Amino acid sequence: MTLLPMRAALTTSARGVREGMSLSRALGATGAFPPVMVHLIASGEASGKLDESLERAARQQQNDMATRLAAFTALFEPAMIVFMGAAVLAIVLAILLPIFQLNQLIGK
């Protein structure tokens, strides 16, 4: 699975860097990257420690993704319990309704 918009943004950024634009400016111009990440890269370029700032930006993105995933899981878990409860209820009703109908027929 590829992320086509991100790939297009990176291709555009690479073209901008080849033409002499700074990495942070090229990434910021695409609008596909978070402003905090672009700022970290800009400060790394200015200080001459681009590798450290890229690692910091990657860690921050991983932490953000882990936080979003944890929130999604926290919301998904109760929804799954409700869905499974509804499925069990449907199965129980599918078994019991014919039995109740037989009892009504015999009672007449």
Side-chain angles (χ1 to χ4, degrees), residues 1-99:
M1 181 172 121
T2 60
L3 300 173
L4 296 178
M6 191 62 71
R7 180 182 284 180
L10 286 173
T11 303
T12 304
S13 298
R15 188 177 316 118
V17 170
R18 276 193 295 267
E19 292 173 358
M21 190 182 277
S22 69
L23 179 61
S24 60
R25 180 180 259 180
L27 292 175
T30 63
F33 300 94
V36 174
M37 182 176 159
V38 174
H39 180 68
L40 280 172
I41 292 172
S43 67
E45 285 177 325
S47 67
K49 297 180 179 180
L50 183 60
D51 57 340
E52 292 175 13
S53 65
L54 286 173
E55 286 179 24
R56 185 178 298 139
R59 263 188 268 117
Q60 181 182 8
Q61 290 298 313
Q62 284 178 337
N63 291 340
D64 287 347
M65 184 57 69
T67 303
R68 288 181 185 174
L69 199 57
F72 174 74
T73 304
L75 293 174
F76 183 70
E77 188 175 335
M80 186 56 120
I81 290 172
V82 168
F83 174 75
M84 293 301 292
V88 169
L89 176 66
I91 292 170
V92 168
L93 287 177
I95 293 171
L96 289 180
L97 284 178
I99 294 172

